[in-house]
Amino acid sequence: MLCPFCQTPHSRVIDSRVIDAGMTIRRRRECSSCGGRFTTVEKAVLLVVKRNGITEPFSRDKLIIGVRRACQGRDVSDDALKLLAQEVEEAVRKKGSSQVAANDIGLAILEPLRRLDEVAYLRFASVYKSFDSAEDFESEIRLMRRKFRHEE
């Protein structure tokens, strides 16, 4: 890491703290050359492999934007969406790979979203699973009801 003040590559760590529920490390550093102090943040990179083969860094914000569309007009708070995004990220990271298919993220969203708001779940599932007819909705609702009975 280059010092932001003098561009020297040598610094020492003064303090380290785990943040973001253990997903990130914040380090306070001091430049060996000029004595300037600065902060760095370290986070393991999770790459999303899209259907077209392009990879991009995982983004909770992008996930929230997508789910927020399904929640439009529903009583779902921003905090609830942030928790959902955190839960989804933790689930895909637990698979133990630094790359995850975009499809797997969609699958990881479904269950937490169903628990959060069933109408938003149906909206999201209709796009994600490419529903073509009212029968697709009916089938998904039957499946939801069966799952809900088993959870009680």
Side-chain angles (χ1 to χ4, degrees):
M1 181 85 210
L2 294 177
C3 170
F5 311 111
C6 71
Q7 309 306 306
T8 300
H10 305 290
S11 63
R12 68 183 187 92
V13 176
I14 299 169
D15 181 48
S16 291
R17 295 186 186 191
V18 176
I19 58 174
D20 194 21
M23 303 301 290
T24 307
I25 297 177
R26 178 189 163 276
R27 297 194 194 277
R28 201 65 188 129
R29 297 180 172 272
E30 182 177 64
C31 177
S32 302
S33 181
C34 73
R37 292 186 176 198
F38 56 99
T39 301
T40 59
V41 178
E42 296 177 24
K43 186 171 187 165
V45 175
L46 178 62
L47 295 175
V48 177
V49 182
K50 301 185 112 185
R51 281 185 219 131
N52 61 10
I54 293 174
T55 60
E56 64 181 42
F58 175 85
S59 167
R60 281 188 191 179
D61 291 336
K62 190 170 180 180
L63 187 150
I64 289 169
I65 289 167
V67 174
R68 184 177 283 130
R69 273 180 268 177
C71 295
Q72 196 168 10
R74 305 294 300 161
D75 188 22
V76 176
S77 71
D78 284 345
D79 286 343
L81 291 176
K82 287 176 185 175
L83 285 172
L84 182 139
Q86 180 179 341
E87 183 179 345
V88 169
E89 182 177 0
E90 288 171 2
V92 296
R93 283 186 184 275
K94 281 182 183 173
K95 294 187 178 205
S97 177
S98 62
Q99 293 187 353
V100 62
N103 188 56
D104 291 341
I105 293 172
L107 289 173
I109 289 170
L110 289 172
E111 185 56 27
L113 183 56
R114 185 194 64 78
R115 288 192 312 265
L116 181 64
D117 187 278
E118 290 182 346
V119 172
Y121 165 83
L122 285 170
R123 289 175 179 170
F124 186 87
S126 72
V127 173
Y128 179 73
K129 295 181 176 184
S130 303
F131 287 7
D132 290 324
S133 66
E135 290 173 12
D136 292 335
F137 279 94
E138 290 170 351
S139 174
E140 192 67 30
I141 290 168
R142 278 192 300 275
L143 191 72
M144 267 177 40
R145 287 182 176 153
R146 262 186 259 136
K147 272 187 170 181
F148 184 69
R149 282 188 210 121
H150 292 288
E151 289 176 2
E152 289 179 339

